[in-house]
Amino acid sequence: MSTTATVIARLLSGAGIDRVFGLPGGEVLVLIDELRRAGVEFVLMRHEANAGIAAAVYGKLRGQPGVVLSTLGPGAANLMLPLSSAYLDQEPLLAISAQIPEEFPASHTHQRLPLHDVYRPLTKYAATLTTENVADEMPRALAACMERPYGAAYVTLSAREALKPATDRAPAAWDRAPAADRSDASTAAARTLVEKLSRAKRPLVVVGLAIDPANAPRLRAWLDAWNLPVAVTPKVKGIVDETAANFVGVAGGMAADDVVCGALQAADVLVGVGLDPVEVDKTWHAELAIEWVLEAPNVGGATGILPAGATLVDHAVFLEAIGSAPPPAAWEAPFEEFQQRRLRLLRDRSGAGGVMWPGDIVEALAAALPADTIVTTDVGSHKYLFGQYWPSRHPATFWMSNGLSGMAYGLSAAIGARLARPDATVLAAIGDGGFSMNAQELESAERVGAPFITVVLEDGSYSLIKLSQENKALPRYGVDFGRIDTVAMAASCGVEALRTTNADELASVAARAAKARRSLVVAIPVDYADYRRMF
Ligand SMILES: Cc1ncc(C[n+]2csc(CCOP(=O)(O)OP(=O)(O)O)c2C)c(N)n1
């Protein structure tokens, strides 16, 4: 007999969703079984938050909603992190959890939480699924995730409702809502910008996370033909080739941020293509005049935030139009001084020594691994390091939590990325604080067939916070932790691991693991004080 759960499973499968990430409870067993029968793999992880992060990255890389499934009460409560992350980091995520049946008496408070009240402000769509409404509500929830800016939807299904016989209603069709025709606005915006740039001496284009990676060729063609200086925000690293001469830096709170902010301030025309201030921890986005080139409002509130003066365009049409115009002026490396200062911060090895200089870690790995390696980071000093200095060359190859900036992102994101891109080499760069939040997912990665390389930068502290404490002249307190043996931890999850203080060894073991397509954890002792000069 077909049930509500059968309808959900078939609907997901019919939408091309082949994996649902999660952690079970008794109330979702029936749905998990229906998923199995519909050919949708249940990717079992060890925390719902990790499952949600992996699902969102998996979905975004495949151009569809990622799906996470949890039980009610505690399992649903653990979805706060991925739903917040999907909301602020523009990742398409459908979360499905169980809930107490609506017909239960109000006195039945065991595991009852006001889940919709909690999650509605973070999500674009929230619904209680029933056998009567499932054929309409599920397609709406899926479509909501894919509306720009991408984000989250949340639906609940009680164990009783899951078992009710299905009605014979055909599921509503779901797809992206047809985009408004913005051709005229796009070509007009291109003409206006050509005119502004014709008078510019130091123009700078800042590309942000709201550009679709499919527009990378058009964007690159324009920037290259005009030799325009370009910066990117961390979450869109790789949309342009960061080894190219016109690349100025990564804007959005990473290492060398003072240098990059200096370049932004020195620009006389600042163009924000898909730029969303959700990635920026300073206020330059509100203080500097920006020529906004946006396809959708930026993240914020129920309907998003449209910056003053911005008109929505179609990026593809805009980029085609502007890219086919001849350059209205010539700009000979107007930010060269900033570009050199940025690189000097990476290469100045004047630290105390004894451990690897953080810059050498990035450079050794970048030289050893394929150019299209997908890199994920956790949150902390190492994120600032990799975010600024990993030389991304291909679109959608760099993943970090930057809108939310939540720790415990990197390992889970690596699992989602590796499953979505089975042929890619994946590198997760993690701090020892973040690693101890979810290292157990290394076992999940092995089990579900998602091998990747992890580097754990060990300094026995929440180093980014320790540096912040020092900057505030506060006594050191609450930032250092006891060491957990990274190598033993990885080994206990079935993953080969070693510790090294040598850049050549790091490069050779990473290259070997990438070639063999197997997991490896490399623990790398670092001195937190070495980060001081970079931030
Ligand atoms: C879930 C969460 N808790 C706390 C923070 C605040 N925070 C930001 S960076 C950081 C330190 C991270 O330490 P570690 O993972 O060791 O990385 P490191 O800074 O040492 O590179 C903390 C605690 C956060 N961003 N996310």
Side-chain angles (χ1 to χ4, degrees):
M1 182 189 71
S2 282
T3 62
T4 318
T6 323
V7 174
I8 295 173
R10 288 194 187 146
L11 219 140
L12 290 174
S13 156
I17 291 165
D18 61 356
R19 288 187 169 101
V20 166
F21 297 72
L23 195 154
E27 288 76 3
V28 287
L29 287 175
V30 167
L31 179 52
I32 291 172
D33 193 55
E34 288 294 345
L35 290 171
R36 179 185 64 76
R37 286 149 60 112
V40 178
E41 181 185 344
F42 180 64
V43 180
L44 175 67
M45 294 191 56
R46 289 169 173 272
H47 194 293
E48 292 83 354
N50 302 333
I53 299 289
V57 172
Y58 183 76
K60 195 161 185 180
L61 271 169
R62 286 169 54 95
Q64 60 183 196
V67 184
V68 60
L69 176 62
S70 82
T71 190
L72 75 181
N78 275 347
L79 294 174
M80 176 54 98
L81 188 86
L83 285 171
S84 311
S85 170
Y87 166 51
L88 290 180
D89 279 276
Q90 295 203 17
E91 284 168 2
L93 178 68
L94 171 65
I96 307 175
S97 84
Q99 177 57 304
I100 305 287
E102 295 214 317
E103 59 270 32
F104 271 28
S107 57
H108 186 95
T109 47
H110 178 66
Q111 295 194 316
R112 188 195 288 263
L113 292 171
L115 295 168
H116 285 272
D117 294 344
V118 172
Y119 290 140
R120 193 168 288 111
L122 300 176
T123 53
K124 298 159 82 81
Y125 198 78
T128 303
L129 299 180
T130 64
T131 189
E132 284 82 25
N133 72 16
V134 67
D136 293 322
E137 298 289 8
M138 275 294 287
R140 279 189 201 134
L142 288 166
C145 299
M146 298 307 292
E147 274 163 21
R148 306 284 293 278
Y150 296 137
Y154 175 59
V155 294
T156 53
L157 176 74
S158 75
R160 278 197 182 182
E161 205 65 41
L163 280 169
K164 286 193 182 157
T167 65
D168 53 7
R169 288 187 50 194
W174 82 276
D175 212 335
R176 292 168 195 238
D181 183 358
R182 301 209 171 99
S183 305
D184 292 347
S186 307
T187 46
R191 268 197 309 275
T192 310
L193 192 59
V194 173
E195 166 63 19
K196 284 201 170 129
L197 290 173
S198 71
R199 295 189 298 271
K201 297 275 175 286
R202 297 224 277 189
L204 179 57
V205 176
V206 187
V207 187
L209 87 155
I211 187 168
D212 191 323
N215 277 318
R218 294 183 185 94
L219 176 75
R220 288 175 178 219
W222 170 46
L223 297 173
D224 291 349
W226 287 28
N227 191 28
L228 260 173
V230 61
V232 298
T233 62
K235 283 188 72 78
V236 76
K237 275 172 70 68
I239 194 86
V240 299
D241 180 352
E242 296 181 12
T243 61
N246 63 341
F247 183 69
V248 175
V250 179
M254 300 295 106
D257 204 42
D258 288 350
V259 179
V260 179
C261 285
L264 295 171
Q265 266 142 10
D268 57 1
V269 175
L270 200 54
V271 184
V273 180
L275 175 65
D276 189 334
V278 74
E279 280 205 75
V280 182
D281 63 346
K282 301 196 172 67
T283 49
W284 56 258
H285 58 86
E287 288 148 10
L288 301 174
I290 296 177
E291 307 299 325
W292 297 95
V293 184
L294 299 177
E295 284 194 314
N298 285 324
V299 165
T303 54
I305 296 172
L306 193 61
T311 347
L312 297 182
V313 299
D314 179 320
H315 277 157
V317 179
F318 170 87
L319 291 168
E320 297 272 352
I322 202 160
S324 60
W331 304 285
E332 289 309 322
F335 297 99
E336 196 174 359
E337 179 209 335
F338 295 97
Q339 289 169 297
Q340 286 181 2
R341 273 171 54 205
R342 170 180 176 270
L343 288 179
R344 269 203 302 278
L345 283 172
L346 176 70
R347 300 205 169 124
D348 172 6
R349 293 181 186 74
S350 54
V355 292
M356 241 186 279
W357 167 246
D360 289 346
I361 299 170
V362 175
E363 295 206 311
L365 289 166
L369 296 176
D372 57 357
T373 294
I374 296 181
V375 177
T376 71
T377 75
D378 215 71
V379 173
S381 301
H382 64 281
K383 166 178 127 168
Y384 287 15
L385 172 73
F386 278 78
Q388 185 61 262
Y389 292 118
W390 179 264
S392 297
R393 278 153 283 181
H394 295 276
T397 55
F398 199 94
W399 294 80
M400 68 159 65
S401 172
N402 206 36
L404 180 66
S405 291
M407 291 169 70
Y409 180 90
L411 274 189
S412 311
I415 293 176
R418 186 64 168 77
L419 289 176
R421 295 275 187 274
D423 296 331
T425 297
V426 177
L427 168 71
I430 316 279
D432 47 358
F435 186 66
S436 61
M437 275 188 174
N438 65 354
Q440 71 279 11
E441 298 296 359
L442 289 172
E443 185 280 329
S444 312
E446 286 303 278
R447 175 169 33 80
V448 304
F452 55 88
I453 302 165
T454 307
V455 291
V456 181
L457 278 61
E458 298 182 318
D459 52 23
S461 70
Y462 297 113
S463 80
L464 188 66
I465 308 305
K466 188 145 107 180
L467 291 167
S468 165
Q469 199 169 54
E470 285 179 2
N471 286 339
K472 295 180 170 76
L474 291 166
R476 184 171 302 168
Y477 185 68
V479 290
D480 292 319
F481 43 75
R483 289 191 187 248
I484 294 175
D485 186 344
T486 305
V487 174
M489 187 111 138
S492 73
C493 293
V495 175
E496 185 193 333
L498 73 151
R499 180 171 288 102
T500 185
T501 53
N502 178 290
D504 292 334
E505 185 183 27
L506 171 63
S508 81
V509 294
R512 220 176 310 133
K515 198 150 176 256
R517 312 194 51 66
R518 59 179 166 72
S519 295
L520 176 71
V521 171
V522 189
I524 309 173
V526 292
D527 180 352
Y528 87 99
D530 282 345
Y531 292 122
R532 244 184 234 139
R533 285 196 310 283
M534 287 191 180
F535 303 159

